[in-house]
Amino acid sequence: MSLSSTSATTTYQTVAVDGVKIFYREAGPRHAPTLLLLHGFPSSSRMFDTLIPLLADRYHVVAPDYPGFGQSDAPPASAFAYTFDHEAQVIEGFIEALGLKEYVLFMQDYGGPVGFRLAVAHPERVQALIVQNAVAHEVGLGPIWEDRRAYWKNREAHEAAFISSFTSLEACRQRHIGTSPNIERYNPDIWAEEFAALSRPGQAKIQADLFYDYQNNVASYPRWQAWLRQYKPPVLVVWGKYDPSFVVAGAAAYAQDVPDAEVHILDAGHFALDEAVDQIAALTRTFLAKQKLDVP
């Protein structure tokens, strides 16, 4: 599929939700089907910069930054509960502030826990799911999660060393390149910017709290799987196979819950848009056309 890129309609805006300024990117015709793009850690809506222009000619694309990320407010952890329940609650308020009645959820990494909470709360709003390296099954968690589970089991003993490593420049780099043989295709400015964001005052505590709460996502997997089996939404899975954190088994697992799920394993990493943005855009457009989700 030949794709043309347009950024002519892209805007960068903010809206207040429960006293928190939420930054978002928006593009495309507002009467078209809405794609709600939910970013991963430690990124922001900026991770979708290259994808948005490839979709905005036929879709209404909205990509917010969660509290504590990107250009959104980052209240201190002493004043804001950094849990995935709370992040999803704020994004639900954001959805209502923008008046979004229905949408396709595009979920990457942390976008999965946020998106599934939105889906469970309002299944009637979800027209389809696009999953890009976002786990809803324990088989998708790679071996490196053993250290992460140790942090959950004994936070006091492991927090300092774990968070220092988790938010380091090398960790930011490794999340992108993973085991990819195509390192020359990765822009180092991306992880340099992510590391700079993680180095801001208060971020260590914010990310420590939020990742400690990640254990509640794992505990919620059965509930999310039950939701998938009950509602059987159209599902497109686009999965970078060079991801050391979320392994390929996590992609195939979606088809256990939704047998008609369309699963594609890509030559890309955790942030698959780094290497495969054109492919992901083409797969997204074809998938949504099959669902009759297109600009009127």
Side-chain angles (χ1 to χ4, degrees), residues 274-288:
D274 289 349
E275 286 198 61
V277 64
D278 294 336
Q279 186 179 6
I280 290 172
L283 289 168
T284 296
R285 292 169 70 101
T286 300
F287 168 73
L288 294 177

Side-chain angles (χ1 to χ4, degrees), residues 177-259:
I177 65 171
T179 58
S180 174
N182 306 310
I183 297 176
E184 71 282 357
R185 296 190 59 196
Y186 287 80
N187 181 356
D189 289 344
I190 296 174
W191 52 80
E193 291 175 6
E194 290 174 353
F195 176 66
L198 288 172
S199 300
R200 293 179 299 184
Q203 273 291 312
K205 175 62 173 170
I206 287 171
Q207 300 306 335
D209 283 1
L210 191 56
F211 192 77
Y212 185 73
D213 186 64
Y214 199 99
Q215 62 188 295
N216 290 317
N217 298 331
V218 179
S220 297
Y221 288 172
R223 186 183 183 194
W224 301 347
Q225 293 160 21
W227 183 91
L228 289 166
R229 291 192 297 271
Q230 178 180 354
Y231 292 98
K232 290 185 169 52
V235 176
L236 170 66
V237 179
V238 285
W239 202 278
K241 68 181 182 182
Y242 301 130
D243 186 345
S245 181
F246 293 157
V247 296
V248 169
Y254 281 94
Q256 297 173 9
D257 300 317
V258 183

Side-chain angles (χ1 to χ4, degrees), residues 59-91:
Y59 303 99
H60 176 217
V61 186
V62 179
D65 292 351
Y66 316 138
F69 292 80
Q71 299 295 326
S72 287
D73 281 347
S78 59
F80 185 96
Y82 283 95
T83 67
F84 283 92
D85 280 349
H86 199 187
E87 296 278 26
Q89 178 185 330
V90 172
I91 296 304

